[in-house]
Amino acid sequence: MNSFFSPLVKRENPYGKILPFPQISSMFPKKFMSHLDLINKFGLSSTAFLTSYDHYLYFHLRSDQESNSQASIAYVETPTAWVVAGDPVGPKHLWLTLLQQFIQTAFDHNKSPLLLPASKELVDLVRQEGLPSYILQIGQEPWIQLNERRHSSDFFKILPSAKKLQKQGGRVQEFNPLQATPQEFQTVEKLKEDWFQNRKCATLDFLNKVDLFKNHAQKKYFQLVYKGQCQAFLAAVPIPARQSWYLVDLMRSPNSVAGSSELLIIEAMAALKKIGAREVTLGLSPLTPELTSETPNHPNTYKMLHWIYNHFNNFYGFKSLAKFKEKFEPESWEAQYLIVFTPKLSGNLSLSVAGKSLLGLFYALFPKGILHTIIQTLKNSIAQFYPTESFQPFLSSQTILNPLPQQKHNWVLSLPVTWSFVFLILLSWTLNSATVSLGHWTTLLFSTFLLSSLIETFAGPHFMILPFIIGFFSNQLISHSLIQILPHLDFIHKTPLTFFNHLSLGVFAIFGSILVFLNTKTRIGIGLLLTSLVFLSSRSELSFNILIAILLGNFSTQYLLHFRNRRKVQRIQNHLSSF
Amino acid sequence: MAKTALLFESDLRSSQIITRFLNHVGYKSVLHSQNIENTQELILKFTHKIDLIIFSSAEHLDLESHHNFFNLIAQNRNLDLVPLIFIDCNPTPLFSQKNNKPIHFRIDRLLLRPFNLSHFSDGIIQAHQLRWEQRNHILVLNHAFIESNLFTKKENLGHWSQLHVFTDSKSFIEYFNRNKTKIGALILDPKSCDENITNWCLQLKKKTQDRSLPMVFLSRDPSLIQKFRLIGDLYIDHPQSSTTKLKSTSSMNWEELLSLISKRVLNAWPSRDLIMKTRRFIKTKPQKNIPSLLKKAFKLDENRWEFLLLAGLFAEKQGQRIKAINYFRNTLNFNPCAPLPYLKLVQLVDSPQEHKKLLHLALQYCPHHPQIQSLVSQFSSRGTLQ
């Protein structure tokens, strides 16, 4: 038996992005069809069908007599590694030979071979045959049985939001790309764009690449229509050897109603069951903490993975993804692994191999490189960053504040007083630029914008104007009241303050106002920090003035809070009753 | 029965906090709604259970949505008695920009964001009070009562503007159903109550929105008020009147009675709030706040039997026996059907003769109360109480 390594062939879809859709057999070269044929015959893993996408290279195992491949491996080439996408496709007795030849070829090309996600069966084979490797469980895959014992009504019982949506008129329809109109395609494309825009992480490649209408003839598509609009879209890819389907590209509109994804999946499962599907999978839940059987082998690595699972949810929704899949109460969770093949027999991972593999994995997931990934992630994070939203967990649960504006541009426009303050500071800066350093002005401008925008959003402009005015004139208040009573207080700044000082005291008073709306824990934390900072910084002559400004801001806000809902409301009520 | 509030709020965080506030002030059940369709569905399903509506305005809700909501409430006659609180947003949609007229007249109380629990509970109290102030008709069912000279001293009648006297139950019920939103209290002479009106009264008290409507019975005769012992708010002997054909059995006159009911109705919500707070404090150890609460309570209504009962319980806890006995006896003057004062008095008095008297009364007014029954059987078998 000979094997050969097929070189990378860049294939462009000749028909553009989405339209029209000819039969696949006429579209692709023979070499590619061979892999697809193998998938259709031997595809056991959920990811097998996805390896028929354009960005993979294939390593085939062929006999001399036959031109067709007997088994194949789909992989991507990165600068340091060859990263295999899932189990080999072909008869199981050929897996070992194919793997051995692939590993050898990879090392010959000075590349580190690694494979993910690998099934338990493959891992057992690798261990049994003693292939030098480093094996790590990277997650679990939920499988839902579509047998007579479980009906759609059972899913509706455990997912009431889906049932509610169905009652309200949410309908799931099969989407046929061959019969769909250009408008329908545009809607799906728009949904896809919105879906990607809502992610903080840079777009993932490898098995996470979304190519909705690739090999569409073998896929099934479903869409959720609610009030005449497509709210969510789902693609299902076949797992032929298992008579199962993988519900892969689930996308929903950011404004979709609760239960959209759940209803779409339930109805899609019912439709697939009708055409003979035995089970469906929702795909890998990466880094789920239930990695018990493998943990003793590499305890520190699993600790690290667990830490990533707990702390990197803003970057990639590990927890939310796992919880969503758990909601369907799958019958089984199949473990999925990462196998890094090592050159030595020991099976220990050397630093160079680990480095090469990690880099290879990174390039497989983010083929455009580190810099591009960082820039894209930053760009997405900035686009989705809503300062007030991040501030919300620190707010008091004892006060009902204004809700956040639904759109970011509305939020920016709804801050007239903040912008006036910023303008005032800029104007003062240009007039007094010589007296105070650039750093001080920048700090004042930045803090004014941050504090004012927060208080104006959550509480309204009154809660910043009054404290600011009081803080601005707080020094005069102290001079005319406190110092008259206690003339020996040396630590109070008695000399006239500059305009900059007055402005900064006004901003400190706004800070004092914000404290009223914070939860106790945050308030105590900030209060302690601020007090210690003010008293430790013995250089600042204004320390006491700052504390007084904060306190005045705080008290004035508390008074305003009381006044608005007692007297002002009474006035409006009287006005109401006069009509 | 748990009180139910309908909350229209699209912001999840605010919705969670308001729900907590509602639970704190006694609304154990909160119906959440985020859009008009959902509200409609909830109203259809729970019309008779809702006794507070809170509408929270938001930036994304246009004027039409506001109108739709208020029209939905206005169209449902069953919600006429339910107070409505409007939570304003900035900029306020409360007044039309064209003519500065309010968008709807149905608003009972306005709340401006930001607000806290104290503003919120005050708001609920005021909204309820406002609704009750509008219910200024009082109905009397009395087979031989002459109406004419009752309003001679109008300043003593509280907020009642109209008093309607009926001699037959049919016209009484008909009038009630026609003018339900205006009626603030019912005065019934048990002698005039046939089976029809008795059943009607019992049914009325089962409805959430009518549960708080005070029913005053003009008798303290246990045989007459036995059917009504669980639904009456006050039991007063027949008041004095120069025009009545019936012989008065009370030192109270009609004007005093109407003033008493008026106080009870108008202060119902602040009283409820005080009762809840005092009960909470009595149950827990630190009791230093109770005297000030009771002081406030008696300032509101010195004749409210619930306050007298609480004052008795507090005096008993403080070891002030005589004071406690007086409070419990006073409680029984206004509501002889309350079982707790009997049980407490039996513990506080020593003489077996007093015990006998009290148990005799208790058995007459609360014949089915298990604790009273057990005390009676203990007394009759041993001739004394342990």
Side-chain angles (χ1 to χ4, degrees):
Chain A
M1 253 188 263
N2 284 331
S3 67
F4 72 87
F5 159 57
S6 57
L8 171 67
V9 183
K10 271 276 171 198
R11 286 177 288 266
E12 291 292 328
N13 182 347
Y15 296 95
K17 266 188 172 177
I18 43 178
L19 274 170
F21 292 93
Q23 290 299 310
I24 50 164
S25 54
S26 63
M27 273 180 68
F28 301 103
K30 184 73 180 164
K31 213 179 281 177
F32 175 79
M33 283 304 296
S34 158
H35 183 71
L36 196 61
D37 284 343
L38 284 171
I39 292 170
N40 286 332
K41 206 171 172 188
F42 301 105
L44 257 177
S45 69
S46 57
T47 50
F49 189 84
L50 301 179
T51 59
S52 67
Y53 286 5
D54 288 350
H55 58 293
Y56 290 102
L57 300 171
Y58 303 103
F59 188 90
H60 294 281
L61 187 74
R62 294 168 194 272
S63 64
D64 288 334
Q65 293 79 25
E66 291 177 47
S67 62
N68 272 343
S69 166
Q70 289 184 326
S72 64
I73 277 176
Y75 69 100
V76 290
E77 185 176 11
T78 71
T80 55
W82 283 358
V83 187
V84 180
D87 293 353
V89 184
K92 280 180 192 168
H93 66 273
L94 297 178
W95 282 13
L96 183 67
T97 324
L98 179 64
L99 266 180
Q100 281 169 334
Q101 289 182 11
F102 176 80
I103 294 163
Q104 191 53 50
T105 319
F107 284 130
D108 290 348
H109 283 78
N110 198 24
K111 302 280 182 181
S112 179
L114 62 143
L115 189 152
L116 82 156
S119 64
K120 181 92 174 75
E121 214 173 351
L122 182 69
V123 167
D124 288 344
L125 179 76
V126 169
R127 280 182 176 151
Q128 195 185 325
E129 297 300 328
L131 285 180
S133 58
Y134 179 86
I135 297 168
L136 204 64
Q137 190 178 331
I138 51 163
Q140 287 179 310
E141 192 174 23
W143 286 87
I144 302 165
Q145 306 291 322
L146 302 179
N147 50 32
E148 288 310 310
R149 272 181 279 167
R150 215 163 175 197
H151 301 281
S152 295
S153 56
D154 298 321
F155 289 108
F156 283 127
K157 270 181 203 163
I158 54 172
L159 298 161
S161 59
K163 190 178 180 179
K164 193 178 168 191
L165 181 58
Q166 195 196 35
K167 271 190 177 177
Q168 285 172 353
R171 291 286 170 266
V172 175
Q173 299 167 352
E174 197 167 330
F175 181 93
N176 187 348
L178 295 174
Q179 291 169 0
T181 61
Q183 284 78 18
E184 284 175 318
F185 276 113
Q186 275 170 8
T187 313
V188 175
E189 277 296 305
K190 176 82 178 49
L191 201 70
K192 187 177 148 187
E193 273 171 32
D194 290 347
W195 179 245
F196 279 119
Q197 273 175 8
N198 270 323
R199 287 182 172 189
K200 279 186 186 162
C201 169
T203 315
L204 291 161
D205 209 89
F206 195 52
L207 286 166
N208 294 75
K209 187 167 183 165
V210 176
D211 197 346
L212 277 181
F213 298 108
K214 181 80 187 166
N215 296 344
H216 64 91
Q218 282 164 290
K219 287 183 182 175
K220 291 272 175 201
Y221 301 96
F222 302 94
Q223 59 175 345
L224 175 82
V225 182
Y226 179 61
K227 291 186 177 172
Q229 284 190 331
C230 174
Q231 299 261 323
F233 190 85
L234 171 75
V237 296
I239 311 167
R242 220 170 150 159
Q243 291 184 12
S244 306
W245 291 79
Y246 170 25
L247 307 182
V248 58
D249 299 319
L250 174 63
M251 297 175 294
R252 64 178 171 83
S253 151
N255 305 320
S256 63
V257 280
S260 303
S261 307
E262 289 85 349
L263 180 62
L264 186 56
I265 289 178
I266 294 171
E267 295 288 351
M269 286 195 295
L272 293 170
K273 190 179 171 184
K274 274 183 193 167
I275 56 166
R278 285 186 178 173
E279 49 192 345
V280 294
T281 175
L282 301 174
L284 177 73
S285 283
L287 311 188
T288 43
E290 290 81 20
L291 308 173
T292 46
S293 61
E294 293 286 326
T295 310
N297 296 340
H298 314 287
N300 292 331
T301 315
Y302 282 107
K303 263 183 203 168
M304 194 184 76
L305 292 181
H306 192 61
W307 186 81
I308 292 173
Y309 177 81
N310 282 323
H311 296 91
F312 272 67
N313 283 284
N314 274 341
F315 181 71
Y316 187 88
F318 296 107
K319 277 187 183 175
S320 53
L321 196 64
K323 275 187 184 169
F324 175 75
K325 290 171 185 177
E326 271 170 26
K327 282 201 285 188
F328 291 86
E329 295 181 3
E331 275 79 2
S332 60
W333 289 83
E334 291 183 5
Q336 299 285 302
Y337 300 84
L338 163 75
I339 309 175
V340 179
F341 296 102
T342 53
K344 288 176 191 170
L345 275 170
S346 64
N348 287 333
L349 197 64
S350 70
L351 205 64
S352 70
V353 174
K356 277 169 92 177
S357 305
L358 263 179
L359 202 63
L361 189 61
F362 180 85
Y363 270 99
L365 290 168
F366 305 104
K368 288 183 180 169
I370 296 172
L371 193 66
H372 180 272
T373 308
I374 293 171
I375 291 171
Q376 205 191 341
T377 307
L378 275 175
K379 216 171 136 186
N380 289 356
S381 302
I382 290 167
Q384 284 172 47
F385 181 66
Y386 207 165
T388 45
E389 204 172 53
S390 318
F391 193 69
Q392 246 183 356
F394 304 106
L395 293 175
S396 162
S397 58
Q398 300 300 320
T399 317
I400 306 281
L401 297 162
N402 291 336
L404 291 177
Q406 294 208 328
Q407 284 166 340
K408 206 180 281 185
H409 66 268
N410 282 359
W411 173 64
V412 174
L413 291 173
S414 68
L415 304 170
V417 182
T418 301
W419 292 119
S420 313
F421 275 25
V422 168
F423 177 72
L424 175 75
I425 288 176
L426 281 172
L427 191 71
S428 316
W429 189 348
T430 45
L431 295 174
N432 302 288
S433 56
T435 50
V436 186
S437 71
L438 181 75
H440 280 81
W441 277 114
T442 319
T443 315
L444 183 70
L445 190 69
F446 179 72
S447 51
T448 306
F449 177 74
L450 185 76
L451 297 172
S452 306
S453 60
L454 285 174
I455 197 106
E456 196 174 1
T457 309
F458 287 118
H462 308 83
F463 290 89
M464 53 188 286
I465 296 172
L466 182 70
F468 181 80
I469 293 170
I470 291 176
F472 191 88
F473 295 109
S474 61
N475 190 53
Q476 274 83 347
L477 285 172
I478 299 166
S479 323
H480 288 100
S481 56
L482 204 62
I483 293 182
Q484 300 296 324
I485 305 161
L486 301 162
H488 301 297
L489 289 177
D490 295 336
F491 49 86
I492 296 174
H493 196 262
K494 289 170 191 166
T495 52
L497 298 179
T498 60
F499 189 69
F500 178 85
N501 292 143
H502 281 294
L503 280 177
S504 60
L505 287 176
V507 176
F508 273 109
I510 295 178
F511 177 74
S513 172
I514 283 187
L515 288 178
V516 174
F517 302 107
L518 297 179
N519 59 36
T520 320
K521 216 171 152 185
T522 316
R523 213 182 299 172
I524 292 171
I526 290 179
L528 285 174
L529 186 77
L530 202 80
T531 317
S532 49
L533 273 178
V534 166
F535 280 104
L536 285 173
S537 62
S538 51
R539 284 180 190 176
S540 172
E541 294 173 327
L542 284 169
S543 303
F544 193 74
N545 298 56
I546 290 170
L547 275 185
I548 292 286
I550 292 172
L551 285 175
L552 286 174
N554 195 292
F555 292 149
S556 61
T557 302
Q558 286 191 21
Y559 174 74
L560 196 60
L561 191 64
H562 175 80
F563 169 81
R564 260 165 68 84
N565 259 301
R566 294 276 195 293
R567 299 201 187 153
K568 192 180 173 186
V569 163
Q570 202 54 52
R571 229 175 32 239
I572 300 173
Q573 293 259 147
N574 293 341
H575 184 48
L576 271 172
S577 55
S578 69
F579 279 97
Chain B
M1 209 183 288
K3 285 191 164 286
T4 307
L6 173 70
L7 171 62
F8 185 100
E9 171 64 88
S10 45
D11 180 53
L12 181 66
R13 188 174 179 277
S14 303
S15 178
Q16 285 168 344
I17 302 175
I18 295 175
T19 307
R20 214 168 28 143
F21 285 0
L22 281 167
N23 291 342
H24 190 266
V25 294
Y27 284 91
K28 296 295 172 203
S29 153
V30 181
L31 304 168
H32 293 268
S33 154
Q34 289 186 338
N35 51 48
I36 301 295
E37 294 91 45
N38 203 355
T39 312
Q40 200 164 10
E41 205 177 287
L42 288 172
I43 287 176
L44 276 175
K45 226 172 173 180
F46 303 101
T47 307
H48 293 289
K49 291 194 174 171
I50 296 169
D51 54 10
L52 176 70
I53 299 169
I54 299 175
F55 178 83
S56 176
S57 181
E59 167 222 17
H60 65 273
L61 286 174
D62 55 5
L63 209 59
E64 201 188 336
S65 306
H66 286 82
H67 280 300
N68 287 344
F69 180 84
F70 286 113
N71 288 339
L72 193 68
I73 303 295
Q75 280 162 12
N76 194 324
R77 305 301 301 168
N78 291 315
L79 297 175
D80 283 349
L81 298 172
V82 180
L84 194 148
I85 293 177
F86 184 89
I87 299 176
D88 202 14
C89 74
N90 190 23
T92 178
L94 197 61
F95 298 99
S96 144
Q97 286 180 348
K98 281 182 193 167
N99 49 13
N100 201 27
K101 275 191 178 176
I103 55 166
H104 210 280
F105 301 100
R106 176 69 171 79
I107 299 162
D108 292 312
R109 180 64 158 84
L110 173 74
L111 279 172
L112 293 178
R113 287 166 189 267
F115 62 90
N116 55 27
L117 176 62
S118 117
H119 302 133
F120 185 74
S121 54
D122 284 356
I124 289 185
I125 290 169
Q126 285 177 17
H128 277 281
Q129 256 177 315
L130 197 75
R131 269 297 101 192
W132 276 102
E133 274 170 22
Q134 289 161 15
R135 300 170 73 169
N136 51 12
H137 291 203
I138 192 158
L139 300 192
V140 184
L141 179 68
N142 192 340
H143 69 281
F145 182 75
I146 298 162
E147 187 185 353
S148 57
N149 290 330
L150 206 72
F151 282 94
T152 48
K153 295 175 188 172
K154 283 202 173 180
E155 67 276 13
N156 291 335
L157 300 177
H159 84 298
W160 307 117
S161 67
Q162 287 187 34
L163 183 133
H164 298 273
V165 185
F166 298 89
T167 48
D168 69 304
S169 60
K170 200 180 165 191
S171 51
F172 178 87
I173 296 170
E174 264 176 26
Y175 185 87
F176 179 87
N177 290 337
R178 252 198 336 269
N179 303 288
K180 202 175 168 183
T181 53
K182 291 173 191 165
I183 294 161
L186 304 174
I187 301 176
L188 298 126
D189 183 355
K191 282 179 193 163
S192 323
C193 293
D194 53 17
E195 200 179 331
N196 188 18
I197 192 89
T198 309
N199 290 336
W200 179 82
C201 287
L202 293 172
Q203 288 303 317
L204 195 73
K205 280 283 174 177
K206 282 181 186 169
K207 291 179 189 168
T208 313
Q209 285 150 21
D210 298 320
R211 209 168 47 212
S212 45
L213 185 74
M215 277 189 191
V216 180
F217 291 91
L218 297 179
S219 174
R220 287 153 53 83
D221 182 344
S223 60
L224 286 173
I225 61 172
Q226 203 189 9
K227 291 173 199 165
F228 308 106
R229 69 197 151 79
L230 295 175
I231 56 167
D233 289 77
L234 279 175
Y235 301 86
I236 309 283
D237 284 327
H238 212 283
Q240 295 173 2
S241 170
S242 53
T243 53
T244 180
K245 285 175 184 173
L246 290 173
K247 196 183 167 188
S248 170
T249 47
S250 166
S251 58
M252 195 182 271
N253 60 37
W254 274 99
E255 285 84 357
E256 281 168 346
L257 173 63
L258 291 177
S259 164
L260 186 76
I261 304 170
S262 170
K263 256 188 190 178
R264 201 176 165 83
V265 165
L266 291 182
N267 298 327
W269 269 83
S271 306
R272 193 178 159 275
D273 192 45
L274 282 169
I275 291 167
M276 268 175 63
K277 279 181 189 164
T278 317
R279 265 193 205 152
R280 222 176 281 156
F281 281 123
I282 286 178
K283 275 181 193 171
T284 54
K285 286 239 165 160
Q287 300 188 346
K288 58 180 178 184
N289 296 320
I290 299 176
S292 65
L293 284 172
L294 286 173
K295 204 174 165 186
K296 269 187 203 171
F298 286 128
K299 212 173 170 185
L300 273 181
D301 189 350
E302 57 192 359
N303 293 321
R304 201 179 176 93
W305 65 266
E306 290 94 334
F307 292 155
L308 292 166
L309 181 63
L310 286 171
L313 290 173
F314 178 62
E316 189 208 358
K317 278 214 166 188
Q318 297 288 306
Q320 298 165 328
R321 188 171 153 270
I322 306 292
K323 221 175 169 183
I325 291 174
N326 286 337
Y327 278 128
F328 288 132
R329 283 195 193 281
N330 247 334
T331 310
L332 292 175
N333 278 340
F334 293 99
N335 186 1
C337 298
L340 192 59
Y342 294 111
L343 295 170
K344 290 289 173 189
L345 280 170
V346 163
Q347 286 172 6
L348 290 169
V349 296
D350 297 328
S351 125
Q353 281 180 334
E354 282 283 319
H355 285 163
K356 195 179 173 182
K357 268 187 198 171
L358 278 168
L359 287 175
H360 179 69
L361 271 178
L363 201 60
Q364 279 187 314
Y365 284 106
C366 318
H368 305 298
H369 196 275
Q371 269 175 287
I372 289 172
Q373 280 180 341
S374 99
L375 280 175
V376 169
S377 63
Q378 195 185 335
F379 189 79
S380 54
S381 61
R382 294 182 191 168
T384 179
L385 287 175
Q386 277 184 339

